[in-house]
Amino acid sequence: MPRNFAGPSAGADSGSVRAQAAAAQAAAVGAREMATQAKQATDSMGESMAGMSAAQQQLQAQVAALSARLDTVQLTPGPAGDPGRSVELRTTSTAVQWRQTGGVWADLVALAAITGPAGEKGDTGAAGTPGSTGAAGAAGPKGDTGATGPQGAQGPAGTPADMSRVAALETSVASLILSVTALQAASGKLAAGQATIPALLLGATTTVQVPLKPALPDSNVTAAALVVGGVNVLSTVGVQSWTVVSGSRVDVVVKATGVLSAGAAQVLVIATRP
């Protein structure tokens, strides 16, 4: 950006002229005083000057005439001059330039002439303190559900199960669970129990009361129930829900599904205290 430097104003010119006039007036007054003093000195010489030469007398007359002229000098300030134009400076990519306001820009000094050599590279500063972890961004939109894959080929027909052997295996597992439970019950935090499910018609439900052994101190227990034994190829008995009645009993709701009624199945319950 250009920078302005104001030139002399009309007020400044007027003040300068007045100052010069005052200085001239003071000089005139001083000259007049000197002439007066010279005349007085000449007069005081009196009779001793009677025999001075014609040249001296002529000089005395000139001094007297000069003194008389100085008494009539009047100094009048002249008219104010035109104010000067301001000076502007600017920097281009190659030089510092100047001009008077409204004039043409001209180079004042080339930047290359006032630009020193590049300084040495400074030392690497110390590493700054790591910034805090930013907040987690918002979760992106849920993607579209992919297309359903083709249906797989049907597998080969399985060999019919020997249901009696399956029932025997489940009974054995139940017995093993009860045996393990009996060993852990000594801590007072685990108990188990089983009860037989009566024969049920298709879709029928019933509540089986399962006693826990050993009995736990209170009902603040977590229980799990499952059906074992009594498996029939045409029927199924499943656990619907269970309720901890006390530390010594859990009621289990079971339901029969299938074609025929089922029987000889048992409900196994495991209960634990925190």
Side-chain angles (χ1 to χ4, degrees), residues 147-235:
T148 303
Q151 182 177 355
Q154 182 175 353
T159 303
D162 186 344
M163 303 310 297
S164 61
R165 294 183 61 185
V166 174
L169 179 59
E170 290 187 345
T171 301
S172 298
V173 172
S175 298
L176 179 60
I177 292 175
L178 290 176
S179 298
V180 173
T181 302
L183 293 176
Q184 296 178 340
S187 64
K189 292 187 177 182
L190 188 145
Q194 61 180 356
T196 301
I197 301 173
L200 298 173
L201 296 177
L202 177 60
T205 61
T206 187
T207 299
V208 181
Q209 297 180 356
V210 181
L212 298 177
K213 295 180 181 181
L216 298 174
D218 51 48
S219 60
N220 183 25
V221 299
T222 300
L226 68 155
V227 175
V228 297
V231 178
N232 190 298
V233 73
L234 297 179
S235 65

Side-chain angles (χ1 to χ4, degrees), residues 122-154:
D123 298 332
T124 302
T129 304
S132 56
T133 302
K142 182 179 179 180
D144 298 333
T145 302
T148 303
Q151 182 177 355
Q154 182 175 353

Side-chain angles (χ1 to χ4, degrees), residues 31 185 242 269:
W242 59 83
V269 174

